[in-house]
Amino acid sequence: MKGSRAGALLAGLTAALTLAACGVPPSDVIEAGEPASGMLPPSPKPPVPTTIALYFLHKGELRPYLRRIGGPGDYGAVVRLLFAGPTTSEATTATTELPRLTDPLEVAIGGDDTLSIHLPEAVPPLSHPAMLQLACTVANMAPPLAMVPADGNQDGASAAPPDTGQRSPAHSSVRVFGDGWTITQSADSCPDSLQP
């Protein structure tokens, strides 16, 4: 019994001496001022997913192919997606008449109901189907196609845009400017339904 008490006392004394030998001086509680107060600014919310319809050709006919984007797309971003062509999975049924661009294009919203697209130099005049691809895609952008789950679930696993049957009042035609040529295309010939 005496040996175990002596051992415990010796172990405690050894620990105290070891701590003192480390050079850590004892100290009282150090005041650091007032605790933090107030509210933090809200963190930015992620953009609400949006579904857009890009018009490609299926057996020569215009057909909308739905794409999800991170938020409401601007016209320039959507036009660039259209010029980039169908994805690998879309290419099993979709083709495009729009050329692949190696240089950037410019998109401007005019005062009238026309969206202007300025193509880089050396791009030949676009075909009628290519112009319809542009006009129909742009006309069906406004108002933005909000993500609407087809099955009513909020996870958006299966989504389709609402079929409003209305053309954009803001951009019912597209005017494309090339190197020495200009073509304007109305959206009047676009399919009424957005459903693929």
Side-chain angles (χ1 to χ4, degrees), residues 39-196:
M39 296 188 63
L40 294 173
S43 59
K45 294 181 180 178
V48 177
T50 301
T51 298
I52 58 169
L54 297 179
Y55 276 82
F56 294 117
L57 300 170
H58 175 70
K59 298 181 180 178
E61 300 289 326
L62 280 173
R63 180 176 172 187
Y65 286 79
L66 303 182
R67 296 260 190 104
R68 287 184 186 178
I69 58 174
D74 63 45
Y75 288 97
V78 171
V79 168
R80 288 179 191 93
L81 279 176
L82 187 64
F83 270 94
T87 63
T88 304
S89 61
E90 291 167 345
T92 59
T93 60
T95 60
T96 183
E97 285 277 321
L98 292 166
R100 296 276 180 154
L101 301 178
T102 55
D103 294 320
L105 55 81
E106 295 177 15
V107 176
I109 299 173
D112 57 2
D113 48 335
T114 301
L115 185 82
S116 297
I117 301 170
H118 296 263
L119 297 179
E121 291 184 11
V123 176
L126 300 183
S127 67
H128 181 65
M131 290 298 298
L132 282 174
Q133 284 182 252
L134 286 166
C136 297
T137 297
V138 168
N140 286 302
M141 278 187 64
L145 302 176
M147 179 73 79
V148 178
D151 57 1
N153 293 332
Q154 293 301 314
D155 62 3
S158 172
D163 182 6
T164 62
Q166 296 177 345
R167 299 281 169 242
S168 163
H171 307 291
S172 60
S173 63
V174 172
R175 183 171 296 128
V176 180
F177 297 89
D179 191 8
W181 57 269
T182 302
I183 303 174
T184 301
Q185 177 63 54
S186 168
D188 293 340
S189 301
C190 295
D192 290 332
S193 175
L194 294 180
Q195 301 299 330

Side-chain angles (χ1 to χ4, degrees), residues 21-35:
C22 288
V24 178
S27 67
D28 293 331
V29 175
I30 299 172
E31 295 292 330
E34 294 293 320

